[in-house]
Amino acid sequence: MTTQRPRGIGMTSARTRERLLNRLRKSGIEDARVLEAIRQVPRHMFVEEALASRAYEDIALPIGHGQTISQPYIVALMTQTLTAGKHLHRVLEIGTGCGYQTAVLANLVDDVCTVERVTTLFRQTRNRLFDLKYRNIKFLHGDGLKGWPEHAPYDGILATAAPEEVPRSLLEQIKTGGRMVIPIGGRALQKLVLIEKTLEGFEQREIESVHFVPLVSGKV
Ligand code: SAH
């Protein structure tokens, strides 16, 4: 008789996850709260079963619809850059995807608002995060280029798809004193950029080279 092993056995072991955290620490992720938020998210629940055994490797993986779940290092770096050691009240995420970054943020901030343009991903991920007992996330099926003005302004905005240039509507939705972390550029050359909104205006700084899927306008 063959018994089916429940999904995730082995991959969920504390040791496997600890190995990922050690790797992130070695790569320069120092914020203990960010590392803890990552430890708490079962990444194997965000990818197809066939890929679950690779979920705690520090790599991006396909999630269907030509999209990817970001590499844990990039999720950690973006989260650390966005929060900067502070407790944030409300954050907007552009590009929900499979919801992994959303879940990491939801472990750290009071409220996460997240926008996804692809209907299937929006639905699947809303259900997944509900099943995982997250209750501080608001989901919108819409065009993230427009942000989500109803809940603005945000302490932080984080985009996980890359526009060619910084969208003006997103700048308008950052609280003064708040920040945005966003990949900017075409397919060949993208930079992860930190934008801070001060009383005087916007300050922009490049963090590092990255490779994200493009931010496409309109919803499907
Ligand atoms: N944060 C995700 C990464 C998803 S990949 C994760 O951890 O899995 C980027 C996502 O951005 C894709 O799901 C893509 O459909 C979405 N996207 C691209 N352009 C968009 C837009 N204009 N508005 C909202 N979502 C968009």
Side-chain angles (χ1 to χ4, degrees), residues 43 46 61 63-71 75 93-102 114-118 121 140 142-146 158-162 212-220:
R43 193 169 185 254
F46 291 76
L61 292 167
I63 55 169
H65 310 279
Q67 308 300 326
T68 50
I69 177 172
S70 305
Q71 182 194 353
V75 171
E93 179 194 34
I94 309 299
T96 316
C98 70
Y100 177 68
Q101 169 79 73
T102 324
T114 184
V115 188
E116 171 58 54
R117 70 184 284 268
V118 178
L121 285 172
L140 176 69
D143 182 357
L145 264 180
K146 300 184 183 134
L158 188 152
T160 64
F212 277 86
V213 297
L215 194 108
V216 189
S217 72
K219 54 180 182 176
V220 285

Side-chain angles (χ1 to χ4, degrees), residues 99-119:
Y100 177 68
Q101 169 79 73
T102 324
V104 172
L105 285 171
N107 285 340
L108 279 167
V109 311
D110 294 337
D111 288 309
V112 181
C113 298
T114 184
V115 188
E116 171 58 54
R117 70 184 284 268
V118 178
T119 318

Side-chain angles (χ1 to χ4, degrees), residues 20 24 27 29 34 38 43 57-60 69-82 100-101 104 158-161 181-183 190-192 207-212:
L20 172 62
L24 295 177
S27 309
I29 306 301
V34 171
I38 286 176
R43 193 169 185 254
E57 294 176 29
D58 191 18
I59 49 173
I69 177 172
S70 305
Q71 182 194 353
Y73 166 68
I74 294 295
V75 171
L77 177 69
M78 290 177 81
T79 309
Q80 178 172 275
T81 308
L82 188 77
Y100 177 68
Q101 169 79 73
V104 172
L158 188 152
T160 64
V181 176
I182 184 167
Q190 292 172 6
K191 294 282 180 199
L192 189 64
I207 307 292
E208 70 176 66
S209 298
V210 285
H211 188 74
F212 277 86

Side-chain angles (χ1 to χ4, degrees), residues 78-90:
M78 290 177 81
T79 309
Q80 178 172 275
T81 308
L82 188 77
T83 53
K86 289 192 209 134
H87 178 81
L88 303 188
H89 175 53
R90 184 174 289 162

